[in-house]
Amino acid sequence: TSVIPAVFPCAVLSGLIVRLGGADKLGRLAERPMRLLFALPGEAFCAIFLGFLCGFPVGAKTCTELFDRGSLSREEAERLLAFSSLASPAFVINAVGKGMLGSTKAGIILFTALVLISLVSGTLLSLPARKGHKYPPTFARPAKECESFSEALIGSVNSAADAMVRLCAFSAFFSAI
C-alpha cells in the first residue's frame, strides 16, 4: 500500500528518461564533472540524480538501464550502483526523522549526511579506475538511438513492474523474518 504507489511512478519515469535520450542529454552537460569526480561517463549523472531524488530502487534501476543500453561498462555500472542507490529523501526526512526521531531537522541532517557519504564513496571507488587513464574532456560516447514514446513507455512500465514484483517480494520476505 505504500511501496508501490511511492516507487512505481519514479521507476517508470527513470526508464522513460533513459529510453527517450534524457540520460544522453544530461550526460553531455555532466561529462566533465562525472569524469573528474567519479571516473564515469556523463550519463551516470542520471542514475545518481534519480537515485538521490527518488531513492532505492530507482537509482539501481536507472543504472541497470544505462548498462543494458551500453552507456556503462560492467565495471562502471558496478561502481555506480555502489553509491547511487539510497533511501529517498521523503523516507529519511519524514519516516526516520519526523516519525522515528520526532524531528524533521534530524531527518534533513541524516539525508544530507547520506548524500555526502555516497558522494565521497563514489569518489573513493573511482581511484583505482583513474590510475593511468586520461579521459577525454568532451562527451566520449555517441548518443544512443532513442525509442519512440510508445515503445519507451511500454518498456519502462514493463521494467518498472518487474522491479516492483522483486521489491515487494523482498519486502514481504524480510517482514516475515
Side-chain angles (χ1 to χ4, degrees):
T1 60
S2 62
V3 172
I4 292 174
V7 177
F8 184 71
C10 292
V12 172
L13 179 64
S14 76
L16 280 172
I17 289 170
V18 171
R19 292 168 185 260
L20 294 174
D24 296 333
K25 290 178 180 122
L26 283 172
R28 291 187 194 314
L29 298 172
E31 182 73 20
R32 181 166 279 203
M34 291 301 296
R35 288 285 184 199
L36 291 172
L37 291 172
F38 308 116
L40 291 169
E43 294 101 317
F45 176 76
C46 187
I48 294 169
F49 177 73
L50 290 172
F52 287 11
L53 181 68
C54 301
F56 180 82
V58 175
K61 186 185 164 311
T62 306
C63 183
T64 302
E65 295 262 349
L66 291 169
F67 173 73
D68 289 345
R69 284 178 55 89
S71 298
L72 299 172
S73 70
R74 182 178 182 91
E75 184 269 332
E76 289 170 335
E78 288 170 350
R79 280 192 293 114
L80 178 60
L81 188 58
F83 73 97
S84 65
S85 295
L86 340 161
S88 71
F91 176 76
V92 176
I93 294 168
N94 292 323
V96 177
K98 189 174 182 181
M100 293 179 191
L101 301 174
S103 168
T104 303
K105 185 176 178 181
I108 292 169
I109 292 168
L110 282 173
F111 185 72
T112 303
L114 190 62
V115 168
L116 292 174
I117 289 166
S118 292
L119 295 174
V120 169
S121 296
T123 303
L124 293 175
L125 288 169
S126 73
L127 294 177
R130 283 195 243 181
K131 287 191 174 188
H133 288 261
K134 290 281 187 183
Y135 293 105
T138 58
F139 193 71
R141 293 181 172 98
K144 307 296 180 281
E145 200 168 306
C146 297
E147 299 175 18
S148 70
F149 183 79
S150 59
E151 290 173 326
L153 181 63
I154 291 167
S156 297
V157 169
N158 286 337
S159 177
D162 181 52
M164 290 304 96
V165 168
R166 293 170 193 259
L167 180 64
C168 290
F170 278 100
S171 295
F173 176 74
F174 287 113
S175 292
I177 289 177

